């Protein structure tokens, strides 16, 4: 089972906190603790990917208008929750994903709240839709099947 764990900072003043995080270098000891956590997951064979999101980096919001994708205003730093990154892990159960999340260090601004999301598996897709998938996206279909 694959799970995405998103790391976000829940705050009433996300804009202020994002600016403060952007201006202040991370504490070396805390940074090392997070990297050790990544290393532990890698060595355990559960880490598929782990990335941080640059709080000052390029961003955009795309929504729907008239049945088509359109560029929206934002994203706004004033949001109540600022996502700072993610971990993609492959484990045997939701409980194992929770156990890994509970081991995550505390204190790196954008990682105060971890949310665990189960990823779609091939077995979640009805057989007829798997046939369509193989027909219209054969290359991606093979990579999706291998990831399972």
């Amino acid at each position: 089972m694959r799970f995405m764990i998103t790391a976000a900072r829940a705050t009433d003043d996300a804009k202020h906190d994002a600016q403060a995080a952007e201006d202040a270098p991370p504490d070396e000891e805390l940074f090392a603790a997070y990297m050790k956590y990544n290393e532990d997951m890698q060595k355990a064979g559960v880490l598929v990917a782990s990335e941080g999101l640059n709080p000052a980096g390029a961003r955009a919001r795309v929504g729907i208008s008239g049945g088509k994708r359109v560029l929206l205003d934002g994203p706004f730093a004033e949001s109540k929750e600022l996502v700072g990154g993610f971990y993609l892990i492959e484990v045997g159960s939701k409980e194992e994903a929770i156990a890994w999340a509970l081991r995550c260090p505390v204190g790196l601004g954008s990682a105060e709240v971890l949310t665990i999301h189960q990823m779609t598996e091939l077995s979640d897709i009805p057989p007829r839709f798997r046939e369509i998938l193989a027909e219209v996206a054969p290359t991606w279909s093979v990579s999706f099947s291998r990831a399972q």
Side-chain angles (χ1 to χ4, degrees), residues 20-116:
E22 189 177 318
D23 293 342
D27 173 83
E28 290 180 13
E29 192 173 311
L30 183 58
F31 180 78
Y34 274 93
M35 296 307 103
K36 171 87 169 71
Y37 174 67
N38 290 351
E39 181 73 5
D40 289 347
M41 288 192 294
Q42 185 72 39
K43 284 182 176 178
V46 302
L47 186 63
V48 176
S50 176
E51 297 287 336
L53 302 178
N54 184 339
R59 298 177 283 171
R61 289 179 63 223
V62 175
I64 301 171
S65 178
K68 295 185 178 185
R69 293 284 176 190
V70 296
L71 183 63
L72 303 174
D73 288 340
F76 302 105
E78 292 83 13
S79 66
K80 296 287 184 190
E81 198 170 84
L82 182 63
V83 176
F86 71 91
Y87 301 97
L88 182 58
I89 61 173
E90 188 164 358
V91 293
S93 66
K94 175 183 165 189
E95 291 72 25
E96 192 176 346
I98 291 169
W100 277 106
L102 290 171
R103 291 179 59 180
C104 185
V106 175
L108 194 62
S110 62
E112 286 187 4
V113 177
L114 301 178
T115 305
I116 301 167

